Amino acid sequence: MLEFFSWVKWSDNGDQLLIGDWEFFVDTLVDMGFSMSGRTSAMRNFYSHGFKLKSDGRHRIPDENGVVWTILQHDKFIRDKPELLKDIIRTASLRKN
């Protein structure tokens, strides 16, 4: 059974991931066994897997509940298309040597 989380959701058309509370998002992923230390670490993981930042919330007006959403998008991360997930791969390191 799928759980509903008020701090993370799909966009209306299902092609974007919206995150409204980074603390809960990161804590939940850490509880699930993912290794990250906070928002910056999570964003680095998204970027290294090809996600694009569409809005980080700094210049957005809060919704009717006061939530300012961070919006991320990936061509292979689409609601109801789990068969595309296998095509999301980690790209080269973002660090410069």
Side-chain angles (χ1 to χ4, degrees), residues 11-48:
S11 61
D12 290 340
N13 65 357
D15 70 345
Q16 295 176 327
L17 176 68
L18 287 73
I19 301 170
D21 188 321
W22 279 93
E23 184 177 346
F24 280 124
F25 183 78
V26 170
D27 288 349
T28 300
L29 291 180
V30 168
D31 289 347
M32 294 171 76
F34 290 89
S35 176
M36 62 185 65
S37 58
R39 178 183 178 151
T40 302
S41 176
M43 288 301 297
R44 204 169 27 249
N45 274 295
F46 278 117
Y47 292 145
S48 71

Side-chain angles (χ1 to χ4, degrees), residues 1 5 9 29 46-47 54 81 91 95:
M1 181 165 101
F5 298 106
K9 64 182 182 178
L29 291 180
F46 278 117
Y47 292 145
K54 295 300 181 178
K81 302 259 185 195
T91 57
R95 292 184 184 176

